[in-house]
Structure formats: structure tokens, C-alpha cells
């Protein structure tokens, strides 16, 4: 009887258990439990596949349920499909992502190397290009950070030369190659307007920005200097010349040489002479080829036409021309006239209403000492550097590629087919690309802050400030412009380069040259670099500073003084200039 009762009790309990197991709340609890186990195992598998963590001695197993109702079937599907195979899918996806990252890095390196080969001209011919890189040259995308130097030089040559009997070069109200567009050239109304514009004299194309963004009268002054330096007939008996070598006394830096030539240009304008520059010692190296060797024209367009240069050199051999004063040289003037002479008054005195945008010690200054000289040197430097030569353009391309090439490659790859270079498109250039976009400047990471840190032997001329002082000013700029992250650092001091590596919250770029250690004099340092390097890299830094969005320097440095002038005639007046010290002449 007891056995029968025991069996009845077991049967009742079993039935009750079965009913409970078949009830919906119980099934929900079981589903929750098994889902938790499944997700836990999935999480552990994912961590293990990343290799970040390792778990030992823990195993999970899935358990099937005999009841084949809908709920139990769902649980079985979850445990058998998701829990068993999901970790493998996760592992495959992680491996794929790692593979894609590696492939992207390889593509970046390949594209950078291809651009480098094109830039240096180290690959000749399509066959060698295919053998070395495994792709056709036509499938190589344009490098946005590099300039087409041959095209730019050709366009600038056209903009620096009169056409036929016109009074001016083809300066129009539009830029670049747009006026060479065939459809526009065939338009009679446009041709008439272009002729009228060239006859009246549009403003020169090397000036960027409006009048309000430059020193007063900049565009008019630049046009008038070009006219003065390019008489229509250089053999006219009324045309007189001032022929001058660049300063080459020991101890004269490149900034002092440029400042001296600015003074000679002022004398030439006051005496109605055409300035002709002669021997430039810093261009006397193997990088400057042919007639450009030992000439300013190695780096920038000559200050006057070739016809006037030839005529001036011809007159130098004529004693009568010297006697009559048709030609003069630098020796006809003393140092005071050259370095501290009167500023040309042809344009009145526009510096009297010039408002500086220079800050020193946290205060915006209202007036510079010798404002007339500051205004004039800015105009003279802008004119002398109005157009870069193909050689100078190439130096800038080298610097751009070394500093920004990898970033540019990553940026370009995002717009290419995923399977590049296997899948590549060779689209012909559109008219928009050829006639409009071609005039755009090369890409650089913007906004860009240029910083010229001058130390070393400069301590005998001005108050020297440590690198930390410059970076403090950089932080001040970024407080107002929080998207500023990039700095182009120009310095001769290795100490500054070493300290710059401590500022990981900035992207700092600089040229890769040997730098000064200790208080080595600038003359000895430049001699150690050699004439070519000691000239090329400062000019690259100078032009990078002129193009940057912001500038930090030292007013006590002539180099910074000239950079500020280039920026204030290049549309950068409202960017301001933060200085770590005062002008040493104050």
C-alpha cells in the first residue's frame, strides 16, 4: 500500500513538474537562463579571438530539451546555432578587419611611394613603372598636396609678360587658365572685355584677398612697381638703370640681404630707375642651372624683363653711360641711403592709417616704430617674390610630400575603389578640372600655424624666449580656434626639435635638416650645411609661413619681420601676428 502511495505521489509530482515545465512563465525563465549562458560564452569567445584576455579551466556546454514544443524548439535553435557558431563568425570578422587595416596601410605606403617616384623622376617610362609598382601610371590618382610646377611656371610666365602691344600682361578679373578656355576665347564680347581690362590695367594676380585684408594700397602699389620695372622699350634713351649685386659681406644673413635689396628698390623708384639685380651668392650652387645660377631668378621670377637686363649689362661696359648717370651701381650710394633711406612717396603716406594686428605680451599694439619702412619692405618683398620658379616650386613639393604625403595618401584612398590598384578608373580631365580647379593651391592640413623659433646667437640682438613661450602662445590661439592642431615649425636649434616631441597634443611638422647645437654662430652653421641646403630650406620655411593661417615669431628677428610683411600683403592681415618679444629697434 505504501509502495502504491509512493508511486502515486511520484506520478503526481512528475505530472506537476511536467505542467510547470510546460507553463509559459517557466519557459520564459529557462529561455532567459540559456540566453545568458549563450551571451556569456559569446563574449568570452570574442575576447579570446582578440587575444586581449585568456580564460582557462572554464567550459560551457549546451543542453537540449526533450519536449519538442515551440518553446523548446526555439531554445534548441538558440543554443545550437547562435552559441556554437557565433564566436567563429566573430573571429572571422575580427581577422577580416585586421586584414583590411593592414591592406589599407600597404595601399597608403604604395601610393606614397608612387607619388615619391613621380616627384623625384626616379622612374622612366610606363614599363619600368609597371615593373616597379605593379600598376599602370594612368591609374595613379593626383596628389592633392603637390603642385604641377611646369604648368604653374608656364602660367606665371604668361602673367609676367606683355602680350603684343598691350600695356599690361593678361591680368583679368579671373584667375588661372580660365581666360584660355576655348569657348571663352571665341566669344567676341569676352575678347573685347579682356582687351579693355588689359589696356586699363587690372590688379596683378599675385595678390590674395581684398584691400581690407592687406596693407593699404597693396594691389595698386604692386601694379605700379611692375609697370616701373617693365618699361615697354628698354632701349629708350630715357630709361635708366640701377644694377646691384646682393649683399655678401660676412655675417649678413638671408633676411638682411633681402632687406638691403628692398632699400635699393626704393632708391630705384625714387630716381626713376629700373632695378636690375646681379650676383646672388646664395644661388651659386649646382641646384641652380644655366643662367639662373648665382641669380635671384633661380628661386623667383626676375625683378625686370630679360630685355632690360640685357640692356643694363650692355650699358655697364659703356663709360659714357656711367658718366651720364644712365646706369648706376650699389657703390654710388652709402649704407644709410640703402638701409635707412626715405620710403618712396609716390603713393602718399598710406602707412599713417595702417592699424597693426600685432600682439606683444598679451596687448594689441597700436603703432610700430618706422611704420613707413615696415610698409615699404612688405611691398618690396611681395614684389620680389611675386612668382616662384619651377625650381622653387619643386622644393616646396618636396617639403609638402615629406610632411603631408602620408596624410594625403590616406585621404585620397577613401575616394578610390576598394580594390585599388586592381580596380582603377582612368577618367579624362574635365574642363572644370583643367581650367578652374587647376588654379587651386596644393592641399595642406588646415588650419596651420607657422612658428619661427629664433634662439642661439640671436641673443646678442634681441631677447631670446624659450620654446615653451612659443607653445604658450599657440595654446592661446587654439583656445579661440579649437580646430587648430597643426604647426609648421621653423628653427635652427636641435633643442627646439627635441622639446617639440613632448607636445603630443599637436601635429608638428618641420624640415629634416641638421640643426645647431649650443651657441654656434649662424655663419658657421650655414657653412656646415653647404650653400644649397642653407638657402633652400629657409626659403621653403619662409613661404610656408607666408601661406599658414596663423603665425608666431619674434619681432626682433629680421626674418620674422619680413615674413610678417609677406603675410600682410598676402591677405593675412586679420590673422594677426603673435610675437614673443619687441622689435629690437624700439
Amino acid at each position: 500500500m505504501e509502495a502504491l502511495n509512493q508511486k502515486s505521489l511520484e506520478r503526481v509530482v512528475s505530472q506537476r513538474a511536467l505542467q510547470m515545465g510546460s507553463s509559459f512563465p517557466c519557459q520564459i525563465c529557462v529561455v532567459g537562463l540559456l540566453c545568458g549562458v549563450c551571451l556569456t560564452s559569446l563574449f568570452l569567445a570574442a575576447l579570446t579571438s582578440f587575444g586581449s584576455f585568456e580564460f582557462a579551466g572554464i567550459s560551457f556546454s549546451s543542453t537540449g530539451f526533450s519536449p519538442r514544443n515551440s518553446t523548446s524548439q526555439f531554445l534548441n535553435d538558440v543554443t545550437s546555432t547562435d552559441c556554437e557558431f557565433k564566436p567563429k563568425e566573430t573571429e572571422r570578422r575580427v581577422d577580416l578587419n585586421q586584414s583590411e587595416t593592414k591592406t589599407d596601410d600597404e595601399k597608403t605606403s604604395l601610393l606614397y611611394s608612387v607619388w615619391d617616384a613621380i616627384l623625384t623622376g626616379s622612374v622612366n617610362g610606363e614599363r619600368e613603372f609597371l615593373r616597379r609598382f605593379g600598376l599602370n601610371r594612368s591609374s595613379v590618382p593626383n596628389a592633392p598636396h603637390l603642385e604641377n610646377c611646369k604648368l604653374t611656371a608656364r602660367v606665371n610666365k604668361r602673367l609676367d609678360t606683355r602680350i603684343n602691344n598691350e600695356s599690361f600682361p593678361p591680368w583679368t578679373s579671373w584667375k588661372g587658365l580660365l581666360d584660355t578656355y576655348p569657348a571663352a576665347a571665341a566669344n567676341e564680347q569676352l575678347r573685347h572685355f579682356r582687351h579693355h581690362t588689359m589696356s586699363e590695367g587690372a590688379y596683378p594676380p599675385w595678390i590674395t584677398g581684398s584691400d581690407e585684408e592687406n596693407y593699404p594700397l597693396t594691389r595698386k602699389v604692386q601694379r605700379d612697381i611692375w609697370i616701373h620695372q617693365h618699361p615697354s622699350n628698354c632701349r629708350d634713351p630715357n630709361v635708366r638703370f640701377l644694377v646691384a649685386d646682393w649683399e655678401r659681406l660676412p655675417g649678413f644673413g638671408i633676411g638682411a640681404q633681402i632687406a638691403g635689396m628692398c632699400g635699393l628698390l626704393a632708391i630705384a623708384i625714387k630716381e626713376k630707375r629700373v632695378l636690375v639685380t646681379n650676383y646672388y651668392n646664395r644661388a651659386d650652387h649646382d641646384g641652380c642651372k644655366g643662367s639662373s645660377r648665382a641669380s635671384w631668378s633661380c628661386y623667383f621670377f626676375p625683378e625686370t624683363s630679360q630685355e632690360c637686363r640685357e640692356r643694363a649689362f650692355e650699358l655697364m661696359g659703356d663709360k659714357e653711360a656711367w658718366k651720364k648717370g644712365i646706369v648706376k651701381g650699389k657703390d654710388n650710394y652709402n649704407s644709410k641711403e640703402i638701409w635707412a633711406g626715405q620710403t618712396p612717396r609716390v603713393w602718399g603716406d598710406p602707412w599713417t592709417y595702417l592699424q597693426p594686428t600685432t600682439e606683444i605680451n598679451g596687448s594689441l599694439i597700436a603703432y610700430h616704430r618706422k611704420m613707413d619702412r615696415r610698409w615699404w619692405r612688405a611691398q618690396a618683398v611681395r614684389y620680389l617674390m611675386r612668382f616662384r620658379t619651377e625650381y622653387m616650386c619643386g622644393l616646396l613639393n618636396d617639403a609638402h610630400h615629406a610632411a603631408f604625403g602620408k596624410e594625403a595618401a590616406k585621404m585620397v584612398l577613401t575616394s578610390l575603389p576598394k580594390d585599388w590598384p586592381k580596380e582603377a578608373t582612368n577618367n579624362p580631365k574635365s574642363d572644370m578640372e583643367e581650367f578652374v580647379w587647376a588654379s587651386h593651391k596644393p592641399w595642406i592640413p588646415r588650419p596651420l600655424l607657422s612658428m619661427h623659433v629664433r634662439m642661439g646667437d640671436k641673443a646678442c640682438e634681441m631677447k631670446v624666449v624659450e620654446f615653451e613661450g612659443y607653445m604658450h602662445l599657440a595654446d592661446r590661439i587654439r583656445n579661440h580656434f579649437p580646430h587648430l592642431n597643426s604647426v609648421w615649425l621653423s628653427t635652427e636649434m636641435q633643442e627646439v626639435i627635441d622639446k617639440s616631441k613632448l607636445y603630443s597634443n599637436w601635429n608638428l611638422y618641420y624640415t629634416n635638416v641638421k640643426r645647431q647645437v649650443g651657441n654656434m654662430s649662424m655663419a658657421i652653421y650655414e657653412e656646415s650645411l653647404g650653400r644649397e641646403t642653407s638657402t633652400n630650406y629657409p626659403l621653403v620655411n619662409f613661404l610656408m609661413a607666408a601661406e599658414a593661417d596663423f603665425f608666431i615669431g619674434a619681432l626682433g628677428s629680421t626674418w620674422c619681420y619680413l615674413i610678417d610683411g609677406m603675410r600682410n600683403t598676402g591677405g593675412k592681415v586679420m590673422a594677426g601676428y603673435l610675437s614673443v618679444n619687441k622689435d629690437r629697434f624700439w
Side-chain angles (χ1 to χ4, degrees):
M1 187 66 178
E2 290 180 1
L4 182 60
N5 292 336
Q6 181 69 26
K7 289 181 180 179
S8 299
L9 180 60
E10 290 176 354
R11 187 179 298 111
V12 171
V13 172
S14 298
Q15 289 175 352
R16 178 62 61 184
L18 183 60
Q19 291 174 359
M20 292 176 63
S22 300
S23 66
F24 186 73
C26 182
Q27 290 177 355
I28 291 299
C29 292
V30 173
V31 169
L33 175 63
L34 291 177
C35 284
V37 172
C38 177
L39 291 173
T40 302
S41 62
L42 175 62
F43 176 70
L44 292 173
L47 288 177
T48 305
S49 67
F50 275 109
S52 301
F53 300 94
E54 182 176 342
F55 295 91
I58 301 178
S59 62
F60 294 90
S61 61
S62 59
T63 304
F65 286 80
S66 55
R68 303 300 297 175
N69 56 29
S70 60
T71 305
S72 62
Q73 180 64 42
F74 169 74
L75 291 173
N76 191 47
D77 290 342
V78 169
T79 55
S80 64
T81 302
D82 290 325
C83 287
E84 287 181 10
F85 295 102
K86 201 72 173 182
K88 294 181 181 179
E89 184 180 346
T90 304
E91 289 176 6
R92 183 183 63 79
R93 187 179 295 117
V94 170
D95 291 340
L96 181 61
N97 288 338
Q98 290 175 345
S99 175
E100 286 178 352
T101 301
K102 183 178 180 181
T103 302
D104 288 344
D105 290 341
E106 290 175 348
K107 289 179 181 178
T108 300
S109 297
L110 173 62
L111 186 53
Y112 178 85
S113 299
V114 169
W115 285 342
D116 187 70
I118 295 174
L119 184 62
T120 59
S122 60
V123 177
N124 296 317
E126 184 70 31
R127 181 174 297 179
E128 184 181 351
F129 199 89
L130 181 64
R131 178 188 62 79
R132 180 170 170 182
F133 297 109
L135 71 161
N136 295 320
R137 188 160 184 166
S138 58
S139 64
V140 179
N142 288 331
H145 60 301
L146 302 180
E147 189 170 5
N148 185 335
C149 293
K150 289 185 180 298
L151 175 63
T152 301
R154 189 165 67 248
V155 170
N156 290 343
K157 179 66 175 176
R158 181 171 175 270
L159 295 174
D160 203 52
T161 307
R162 285 189 178 88
I163 295 180
N164 300 325
N165 295 321
E166 299 287 356
S167 302
F168 296 92
W171 300 343
T172 56
S173 57
W174 46 80
K175 291 184 177 181
L177 297 169
L178 197 56
D179 67 320
T180 64
Y181 182 51
N187 188 305
E188 185 65 31
Q189 186 175 357
L190 279 177
R191 281 211 311 270
H192 174 75
F193 173 75
R194 184 180 296 113
H195 173 77
H196 175 75
T197 303
M198 287 189 286
S199 299
E200 293 295 323
Y203 288 122
W206 57 85
I207 300 302
T208 302
S210 64
D211 290 338
E212 293 79 11
E213 295 171 303
N214 291 284
Y215 271 172
L217 300 184
T218 289
R219 293 196 293 174
K220 175 175 173 50
V221 172
Q222 293 298 309
R223 181 184 65 180
D224 292 348
I225 295 177
W226 192 93
I227 296 170
H228 172 89
Q229 286 291 113
H230 293 80
S232 57
N233 181 10
C234 297
R235 293 191 171 273
D236 187 318
N238 294 319
V239 176
R240 300 186 299 170
F241 299 93
L242 168 56
V243 182
D245 290 345
W246 292 77
E247 195 62 68
R248 46 180 160 164
L249 291 174
F252 272 75
I254 187 170
Q257 288 179 306
I258 295 173
M261 194 55 69
C262 291
L264 288 165
L265 180 58
I267 292 172
I269 289 177
K270 286 183 292 184
E271 295 187 359
K272 295 182 171 55
R273 297 179 180 275
V274 175
L275 175 67
V276 178
T277 66
N278 199 4
Y279 181 74
Y280 183 43
N281 62 331
R282 291 182 178 272
D284 193 1
H285 57 74
D286 293 338
C288 298
K289 308 295 184 183
S291 61
S292 70
R293 179 158 187 151
S295 172
W296 179 252
S297 62
C298 176
Y299 295 100
F300 301 95
F301 274 36
E303 66 292 334
T304 188
S305 65
Q306 184 60 31
E307 292 77 16
C308 280
R309 290 181 62 83
E310 292 174 356
R311 177 58 177 165
F313 294 142
E314 180 184 318
L315 289 172
M316 287 182 69
D318 185 348
K319 292 182 179 180
E320 193 67 21
W322 285 97
K323 185 177 180 180
K324 292 181 178 180
I326 298 174
V327 60
K328 283 188 176 182
K330 187 169 61 175
D331 293 339
N332 291 102
Y333 308 94
N334 59 45
S335 296
K336 185 177 180 180
E337 290 175 302
I338 296 173
W339 294 93
Q342 188 182 39
T343 299
R345 260 46 180 191
V346 178
W347 305 278
D349 50 1
W351 48 85
T352 58
Y353 52 89
L354 187 158
Q355 170 59 56
T357 53
T358 308
E359 182 188 283
I360 303 174
N361 297 329
S363 299
L364 182 67
I365 64 174
Y367 181 77
H368 278 291
R369 186 173 178 268
K370 302 293 183 183
M371 288 282 278
D372 58 338
R373 189 181 304 165
R374 191 175 196 85
W375 176 88
W376 167 248
R377 284 184 177 175
Q379 302 296 341
V381 171
R382 171 58 62 179
Y383 175 77
L384 292 172
M385 295 185 174
R386 66 193 183 282
F387 287 132
R388 300 188 289 268
T389 62
E390 185 177 340
Y391 177 70
M392 186 71 242
C393 175
L395 295 178
L396 279 168
N397 271 351
D398 291 340
H400 281 184
H401 190 57
F404 314 131
K406 291 287 180 68
E407 291 179 59
K410 290 179 182 178
M411 180 174 61
V412 168
L413 284 171
T414 60
S415 64
L416 295 180
K418 189 174 182 180
D419 292 335
W420 184 90
K422 291 182 179 179
E423 180 186 349
T425 56
N426 183 20
N427 297 322
K429 277 190 176 182
S430 65
D431 288 343
M432 181 66 75
E433 291 175 288
E434 185 173 353
F435 295 101
V436 181
W437 293 343
S439 63
H440 284 228
K441 293 180 179 179
W443 173 84
I444 59 175
R446 291 193 183 276
L448 181 67
L449 164 64
S450 175
M451 182 184 297
H452 182 65
V453 182
R454 192 71 169 91
M455 296 170 65
D457 64 340
K458 204 66 177 178
C460 64
E461 299 179 8
M462 69 178 194
K463 176 186 175 183
V464 170
V465 177
E466 294 294 325
F467 181 58
E468 291 80 359
Y470 290 82
M471 292 307 297
H472 173 71
L473 294 180
D475 288 333
R476 278 205 50 226
I477 297 176
R478 186 153 69 173
N479 285 340
H480 192 81
F481 301 96
H483 54 303
L484 173 64
N485 294 305
S486 301
V487 175
W488 183 270
L489 180 59
S490 168
T491 183
E492 295 85 16
M493 304 303 298
Q494 183 59 42
E495 173 190 349
V496 172
I497 299 299
D498 295 339
K499 286 183 177 181
S500 71
K501 297 173 183 177
L502 301 176
Y503 293 86
S504 57
N505 58 331
W506 288 90
N507 299 323
L508 290 119
Y509 307 92
Y510 44 83
T511 52
N512 185 22
V513 295
K514 182 177 70 173
R515 288 180 163 81
Q516 293 185 53
V517 177
N519 290 323
M520 178 190 300
S521 71
M522 180 59 72
I524 295 176
Y525 169 63
E526 288 186 343
E527 185 178 354
S528 70
L529 292 178
R531 181 166 288 176
E532 184 172 352
T533 301
S534 66
T535 304
N536 290 355
Y537 98 87
L539 288 175
V540 166
N541 285 330
F542 188 94
L543 294 177
M544 286 297 299
E547 292 293 331
D549 299 283
F550 304 100
F551 180 64
I552 295 175
L555 275 173
S557 163
T558 302
W559 196 239
C560 291
Y561 183 102
L562 297 174
I563 288 174
D564 187 42
M566 274 290 280
R567 292 176 58 80
N568 287 324
T569 54
K572 305 289 186 182
V573 162
M574 297 310 295
Y577 171 17
L578 274 64
S579 178
V580 296
N581 63 14
K582 292 183 178 181
D583 188 322
R584 66 177 183 269
F585 297 112
W586 287 10

